[in-house]
Amino acid sequence: MKIIKLSAIDSTNSFLKEMASNSVLENYTIVVTDSQVNGRGQQGSVWVSEPYKNLIFSVFVRFSDLDISKRRYLNFAVSLSIYQVLTALEIPKVTIKWPNDILAVNKKICGVLVENSLKGAKIASSVIGIGLNVNQTVFPKHLEKASSLKLIRPKPYNLEEILDLLILKLKEKIAVLESDHFETLEKDYLHVLHKKNIPTMFKDSKNALFMGVIRGISIDGKLQVEVEDETILEFGIKEISLL
């Protein structure tokens, strides 16, 4: 495992992807930065983070035989890694909001961006970007749903110690994935999925509101929602939001 520490960078994911395209990287090469000025989230969204207060890093993971059809289990593994570290740190009411946001007390404290490199029908490698709000206590007004470990459970946190815990747990969950224990990952993920089996108001991509109940995740990673007529509808990222 190799750790590259940078004081400031546009995006740790972009930096690591560029490295991977130009050289043979050691498995679990990590890029971590004190300040990220152009952080990327899901579907082109922006990740905002105060310098020196939070944990911002990306991990390069190489796979020997992971079919692209199993990519949702990779997402489960990454999300569960973060979830289990935070619960071990005694952060209360942690849940995973589909697909891979991490909430605590219904506030977003962590975002994940997984970018895969394919070889045929296989995932050859992934760059896993994680932004965890740790010691930041003030957020922009437009991020009213954002929070941090320090706001939720007030105490100082050591960023390097949390990074070590996250990498250790990520390796553990990737090992479960590569051992083909897909049902275990899915069961554990659904057990802590935010709003699962709870009647919830949703908004679709046309801004139409409807009531539904999250029932699961489809084989291609879409959110399965049961609506009032008991039909199960499937939604991709940015096609639905929880209110």
Side-chain angles (χ1 to χ4, degrees), residues 49-74:
S49 180
E50 184 179 349
Y52 305 101
K53 295 291 185 68
N54 304 311
L55 194 52
I56 306 165
F57 68 101
S58 296
V59 186
F60 173 83
V61 180
R62 183 180 293 106
F63 298 99
S64 58
D65 186 27
L66 181 61
D67 197 272
I68 185 62
S69 66
K70 307 297 184 184
R71 63 186 180 277
R72 66 175 177 149
Y73 299 107
L74 171 58

mmCIF file of all heavy atoms in Angstrom, residues 49-74:
data_model
loop_
_atom_site.group_PDB
_atom_site.id
_atom_site.type_symbol
_atom_site.label_atom_id
_atom_site.label_comp_id
_atom_site.label_asym_id
_atom_site.label_seq_id
_atom_site.Cartn_x
_atom_site.Cartn_y
_atom_site.Cartn_z
ATOM 1 N N SER A 49 -15.565 21.139 0.554
ATOM 2 C CA SER A 49 -14.917 20.732 1.798
ATOM 3 C C SER A 49 -13.960 21.818 2.277
ATOM 4 O O SER A 49 -13.172 22.358 1.501
ATOM 5 C CB SER A 49 -14.154 19.424 1.586
ATOM 6 O OG SER A 49 -13.510 19.009 2.765
ATOM 7 N N GLU A 50 -14.026 22.141 3.567
ATOM 8 C CA GLU A 50 -13.125 23.132 4.140
ATOM 9 C C GLU A 50 -11.722 22.541 4.268
ATOM 10 O O GLU A 50 -11.554 21.432 4.789
ATOM 11 C CB GLU A 50 -13.643 23.568 5.513
ATOM 12 C CG GLU A 50 -12.824 24.666 6.163
ATOM 13 C CD GLU A 50 -13.379 25.104 7.506
ATOM 14 O OE1 GLU A 50 -14.514 24.712 7.837
ATOM 15 O OE2 GLU A 50 -12.662 25.827 8.223
ATOM 16 N N PRO A 51 -10.691 23.250 3.816
ATOM 17 C CA PRO A 51 -9.323 22.723 3.872
ATOM 18 C C PRO A 51 -8.887 22.368 5.294
ATOM 19 O O PRO A 51 -9.260 23.043 6.257
ATOM 20 C CB PRO A 51 -8.478 23.874 3.315
ATOM 21 C CG PRO A 51 -9.425 24.649 2.445
ATOM 22 C CD PRO A 51 -10.758 24.550 3.127
ATOM 23 N N TYR A 52 -8.133 21.284 5.396
ATOM 24 C CA TYR A 52 -7.482 20.824 6.626
ATOM 25 C C TYR A 52 -8.442 20.303 7.702
ATOM 26 O O TYR A 52 -7.999 19.898 8.767
ATOM 27 C CB TYR A 52 -6.610 21.939 7.235
ATOM 28 C CG TYR A 52 -5.600 22.497 6.269
ATOM 29 C CD1 TYR A 52 -5.836 23.702 5.622
ATOM 30 C CD2 TYR A 52 -4.426 21.799 5.977
ATOM 31 C CE1 TYR A 52 -4.921 24.212 4.708
ATOM 32 C CE2 TYR A 52 -3.513 22.300 5.062
ATOM 33 C CZ TYR A 52 -3.758 23.495 4.441
ATOM 34 O OH TYR A 52 -2.856 23.984 3.531
ATOM 35 N N LYS A 53 -9.729 20.282 7.407
ATOM 36 C CA LYS A 53 -10.699 19.860 8.420
ATOM 37 C C LYS A 53 -11.279 18.475 8.164
ATOM 38 O O LYS A 53 -11.805 17.841 9.084
ATOM 39 C CB LYS A 53 -11.849 20.874 8.492
ATOM 40 C CG LYS A 53 -11.458 22.266 8.966
ATOM 41 C CD LYS A 53 -11.085 22.259 10.435
ATOM 42 C CE LYS A 53 -10.803 23.667 10.947
ATOM 43 N NZ LYS A 53 -12.004 24.527 10.981
ATOM 44 N N ASN A 54 -11.178 18.025 6.914
ATOM 45 C CA ASN A 54 -11.904 16.814 6.536
ATOM 46 C C ASN A 54 -10.987 15.777 5.891
ATOM 47 O O ASN A 54 -9.830 16.056 5.586
ATOM 48 C CB ASN A 54 -13.049 17.183 5.592
ATOM 49 C CG ASN A 54 -13.975 18.208 6.200
ATOM 50 O OD1 ASN A 54 -14.410 18.055 7.340
ATOM 51 N ND2 ASN A 54 -14.255 19.267 5.454
ATOM 52 N N LEU A 55 -11.538 14.610 5.687
ATOM 53 C CA LEU A 55 -10.781 13.512 5.086
ATOM 54 C C LEU A 55 -11.198 13.375 3.632
ATOM 55 O O LEU A 55 -12.353 13.036 3.335
ATOM 56 C CB LEU A 55 -11.047 12.216 5.853
ATOM 57 C CG LEU A 55 -10.137 11.022 5.606
ATOM 58 C CD1 LEU A 55 -8.670 11.405 5.755
ATOM 59 C CD2 LEU A 55 -10.486 9.904 6.568
ATOM 60 N N ILE A 56 -10.268 13.664 2.724
ATOM 61 C CA ILE A 56 -10.538 13.611 1.285
ATOM 62 C C ILE A 56 -9.476 12.733 0.641
ATOM 63 O O ILE A 56 -8.293 13.073 0.656
ATOM 64 C CB ILE A 56 -10.490 15.017 0.661
ATOM 65 C CG1 ILE A 56 -11.439 15.972 1.407
ATOM 66 C CG2 ILE A 56 -10.845 14.963 -0.811
ATOM 67 C CD1 ILE A 56 -11.186 17.414 1.086
ATOM 68 N N PHE A 57 -9.890 11.608 0.096
ATOM 69 C CA PHE A 57 -8.906 10.686 -0.475
ATOM 70 C C PHE A 57 -9.530 9.797 -1.537
ATOM 71 O O PHE A 57 -10.749 9.657 -1.630
ATOM 72 C CB PHE A 57 -8.272 9.839 0.624
ATOM 73 C CG PHE A 57 -9.200 8.848 1.286
ATOM 74 C CD1 PHE A 57 -9.176 7.507 0.937
ATOM 75 C CD2 PHE A 57 -10.087 9.250 2.278
ATOM 76 C CE1 PHE A 57 -10.011 6.583 1.546
ATOM 77 C CE2 PHE A 57 -10.921 8.342 2.902
ATOM 78 C CZ PHE A 57 -10.890 7.005 2.535
ATOM 79 N N SER A 58 -8.661 9.201 -2.344
ATOM 80 C CA SER A 58 -9.073 8.229 -3.352
ATOM 81 C C SER A 58 -8.171 7.010 -3.252
ATOM 82 O O SER A 58 -6.989 7.126 -2.921
ATOM 83 C CB SER A 58 -9.002 8.820 -4.757
ATOM 84 O OG SER A 58 -9.918 9.890 -4.899
ATOM 85 N N VAL A 59 -8.739 5.857 -3.552
ATOM 86 C CA VAL A 59 -8.021 4.582 -3.457
ATOM 87 C C VAL A 59 -8.099 3.856 -4.794
ATOM 88 O O VAL A 59 -9.183 3.734 -5.380
ATOM 89 C CB VAL A 59 -8.631 3.687 -2.353
ATOM 90 C CG1 VAL A 59 -7.789 2.433 -2.163
ATOM 91 C CG2 VAL A 59 -8.795 4.440 -1.044
ATOM 92 N N PHE A 60 -6.958 3.370 -5.253
ATOM 93 C CA PHE A 60 -6.910 2.550 -6.466
ATOM 94 C C PHE A 60 -6.993 1.081 -6.060
ATOM 95 O O PHE A 60 -6.187 0.607 -5.238
ATOM 96 C CB PHE A 60 -5.614 2.798 -7.231
ATOM 97 C CG PHE A 60 -5.406 1.877 -8.409
ATOM 98 C CD1 PHE A 60 -5.991 2.156 -9.632
ATOM 99 C CD2 PHE A 60 -4.626 0.737 -8.281
ATOM 100 C CE1 PHE A 60 -5.810 1.302 -10.723
ATOM 101 C CE2 PHE A 60 -4.430 -0.116 -9.360
ATOM 102 C CZ PHE A 60 -5.024 0.163 -10.590
ATOM 103 N N VAL A 61 -7.966 0.370 -6.623
ATOM 104 C CA VAL A 61 -8.136 -1.053 -6.319
ATOM 105 C C VAL A 61 -8.157 -1.844 -7.619
ATOM 106 O O VAL A 61 -8.920 -1.522 -8.536
ATOM 107 C CB VAL A 61 -9.437 -1.316 -5.529
ATOM 108 C CG1 VAL A 61 -9.581 -2.813 -5.222
ATOM 109 C CG2 VAL A 61 -9.469 -0.515 -4.234
ATOM 110 N N ARG A 62 -7.317 -2.858 -7.695
ATOM 111 C CA ARG A 62 -7.256 -3.718 -8.879
ATOM 112 C C ARG A 62 -8.002 -5.018 -8.605
ATOM 113 O O ARG A 62 -7.915 -5.582 -7.511
ATOM 114 C CB ARG A 62 -5.798 -4.020 -9.238
ATOM 115 C CG ARG A 62 -5.636 -4.849 -10.510
ATOM 116 C CD ARG A 62 -4.172 -5.116 -10.820
ATOM 117 N NE ARG A 62 -3.464 -3.878 -11.170
ATOM 118 C CZ ARG A 62 -2.607 -3.255 -10.362
ATOM 119 N NH1 ARG A 62 -2.354 -3.738 -9.165
ATOM 120 N NH2 ARG A 62 -2.007 -2.145 -10.759
ATOM 121 N N PHE A 63 -8.739 -5.490 -9.601
ATOM 122 C CA PHE A 63 -9.499 -6.728 -9.459
ATOM 123 C C PHE A 63 -8.991 -7.782 -10.442
ATOM 124 O O PHE A 63 -8.601 -7.457 -11.568
ATOM 125 C CB PHE A 63 -10.987 -6.484 -9.710
ATOM 126 C CG PHE A 63 -11.611 -5.520 -8.740
ATOM 127 C CD1 PHE A 63 -11.804 -4.193 -9.097
ATOM 128 C CD2 PHE A 63 -11.979 -5.928 -7.471
ATOM 129 C CE1 PHE A 63 -12.367 -3.297 -8.206
ATOM 130 C CE2 PHE A 63 -12.541 -5.038 -6.568
ATOM 131 C CZ PHE A 63 -12.735 -3.726 -6.930
ATOM 132 N N SER A 64 -9.029 -9.032 -10.006
ATOM 133 C CA SER A 64 -8.572 -10.123 -10.868
ATOM 134 C C SER A 64 -9.704 -10.726 -11.686
ATOM 135 O O SER A 64 -9.508 -11.161 -12.827
ATOM 136 C CB SER A 64 -7.905 -11.222 -10.024
ATOM 137 O OG SER A 64 -8.817 -11.710 -9.046
ATOM 138 N N ASP A 65 -10.933 -10.737 -11.122
ATOM 139 C CA ASP A 65 -12.044 -11.373 -11.839
ATOM 140 C C ASP A 65 -13.375 -10.866 -11.293
ATOM 141 O O ASP A 65 -14.102 -11.593 -10.622
ATOM 142 C CB ASP A 65 -11.955 -12.891 -11.697
ATOM 143 C CG ASP A 65 -12.986 -13.613 -12.545
ATOM 144 O OD1 ASP A 65 -13.404 -13.052 -13.571
ATOM 145 O OD2 ASP A 65 -13.399 -14.734 -12.162
ATOM 146 N N LEU A 66 -13.687 -9.608 -11.581
ATOM 147 C CA LEU A 66 -14.955 -9.028 -11.120
ATOM 148 C C LEU A 66 -15.778 -8.613 -12.331
ATOM 149 O O LEU A 66 -15.424 -7.682 -13.057
ATOM 150 C CB LEU A 66 -14.696 -7.826 -10.205
ATOM 151 C CG LEU A 66 -15.946 -7.138 -9.637
ATOM 152 C CD1 LEU A 66 -16.756 -8.107 -8.786
ATOM 153 C CD2 LEU A 66 -15.565 -5.908 -8.830
ATOM 154 N N ASP A 67 -16.863 -9.319 -12.566
ATOM 155 C CA ASP A 67 -17.704 -9.053 -13.727
ATOM 156 C C ASP A 67 -18.434 -7.727 -13.554
ATOM 157 O O ASP A 67 -18.832 -7.358 -12.451
ATOM 158 C CB ASP A 67 -18.718 -10.190 -13.899
ATOM 159 C CG ASP A 67 -19.335 -10.190 -15.284
ATOM 160 O OD1 ASP A 67 -20.359 -9.487 -15.464
ATOM 161 O OD2 ASP A 67 -18.802 -10.864 -16.179
ATOM 162 N N ILE A 68 -18.604 -7.005 -14.656
ATOM 163 C CA ILE A 68 -19.275 -5.712 -14.613
ATOM 164 C C ILE A 68 -20.693 -5.847 -14.062
ATOM 165 O O ILE A 68 -21.238 -4.911 -13.456
ATOM 166 C CB ILE A 68 -19.293 -5.059 -16.017
ATOM 167 C CG1 ILE A 68 -19.891 -3.635 -15.955
ATOM 168 C CG2 ILE A 68 -20.037 -5.923 -17.015
ATOM 169 C CD1 ILE A 68 -19.130 -2.672 -15.116
ATOM 170 N N SER A 69 -21.318 -7.004 -14.244
ATOM 171 C CA SER A 69 -22.678 -7.221 -13.735
ATOM 172 C C SER A 69 -22.727 -7.236 -12.205
ATOM 173 O O SER A 69 -23.812 -7.144 -11.622
ATOM 174 C CB SER A 69 -23.242 -8.539 -14.280
ATOM 175 O OG SER A 69 -22.511 -9.645 -13.770
ATOM 176 N N LYS A 70 -21.562 -7.331 -11.570
ATOM 177 C CA LYS A 70 -21.492 -7.365 -10.109
ATOM 178 C C LYS A 70 -21.105 -6.002 -9.508
ATOM 179 O O LYS A 70 -20.802 -5.909 -8.322
ATOM 180 C CB LYS A 70 -20.469 -8.417 -9.659
ATOM 181 C CG LYS A 70 -20.679 -9.802 -10.235
ATOM 182 C CD LYS A 70 -22.002 -10.415 -9.802
ATOM 183 C CE LYS A 70 -22.136 -11.845 -10.310
ATOM 184 N NZ LYS A 70 -23.465 -12.435 -9.983
ATOM 185 N N ARG A 71 -21.159 -4.951 -10.325
ATOM 186 C CA ARG A 71 -20.655 -3.661 -9.848
ATOM 187 C C ARG A 71 -21.442 -3.115 -8.656
ATOM 188 O O ARG A 71 -20.906 -2.368 -7.849
ATOM 189 C CB ARG A 71 -20.643 -2.640 -10.972
ATOM 190 C CG ARG A 71 -21.988 -2.288 -11.558
ATOM 191 C CD ARG A 71 -21.834 -1.378 -12.770
ATOM 192 N NE ARG A 71 -23.109 -1.001 -13.377
ATOM 193 C CZ ARG A 71 -23.777 -1.744 -14.231
ATOM 194 N NH1 ARG A 71 -23.295 -2.931 -14.604
ATOM 195 N NH2 ARG A 71 -24.927 -1.324 -14.743
ATOM 196 N N ARG A 72 -22.713 -3.486 -8.547
ATOM 197 C CA ARG A 72 -23.479 -2.986 -7.400
ATOM 198 C C ARG A 72 -22.908 -3.519 -6.083
ATOM 199 O O ARG A 72 -22.983 -2.839 -5.057
ATOM 200 C CB ARG A 72 -24.955 -3.359 -7.530
ATOM 201 C CG ARG A 72 -25.262 -4.853 -7.469
ATOM 202 C CD ARG A 72 -26.756 -5.083 -7.490
ATOM 203 N NE ARG A 72 -27.062 -6.511 -7.501
ATOM 204 C CZ ARG A 72 -28.146 -7.032 -6.944
ATOM 205 N NH1 ARG A 72 -29.026 -6.259 -6.345
ATOM 206 N NH2 ARG A 72 -28.366 -8.324 -6.993
ATOM 207 N N TYR A 73 -22.311 -4.711 -6.126
ATOM 208 C CA TYR A 73 -21.745 -5.269 -4.896
ATOM 209 C C TYR A 73 -20.475 -4.530 -4.481
ATOM 210 O O TYR A 73 -20.155 -4.459 -3.288
ATOM 211 C CB TYR A 73 -21.469 -6.761 -5.072
ATOM 212 C CG TYR A 73 -22.712 -7.561 -5.369
ATOM 213 C CD1 TYR A 73 -22.948 -8.078 -6.638
ATOM 214 C CD2 TYR A 73 -23.669 -7.778 -4.382
ATOM 215 C CE1 TYR A 73 -24.098 -8.790 -6.926
ATOM 216 C CE2 TYR A 73 -24.823 -8.499 -4.655
ATOM 217 C CZ TYR A 73 -25.034 -8.999 -5.930
ATOM 218 O OH TYR A 73 -26.174 -9.704 -6.207
ATOM 219 N N LEU A 74 -19.769 -3.981 -5.461
ATOM 220 C CA LEU A 74 -18.633 -3.124 -5.137
ATOM 221 C C LEU A 74 -19.123 -1.891 -4.391
ATOM 222 O O LEU A 74 -18.528 -1.472 -3.392
ATOM 223 C CB LEU A 74 -17.896 -2.714 -6.418
ATOM 224 C CG LEU A 74 -16.807 -1.649 -6.281
ATOM 225 C CD1 LEU A 74 -15.727 -2.069 -5.297
ATOM 226 C CD2 LEU A 74 -16.205 -1.327 -7.645
#
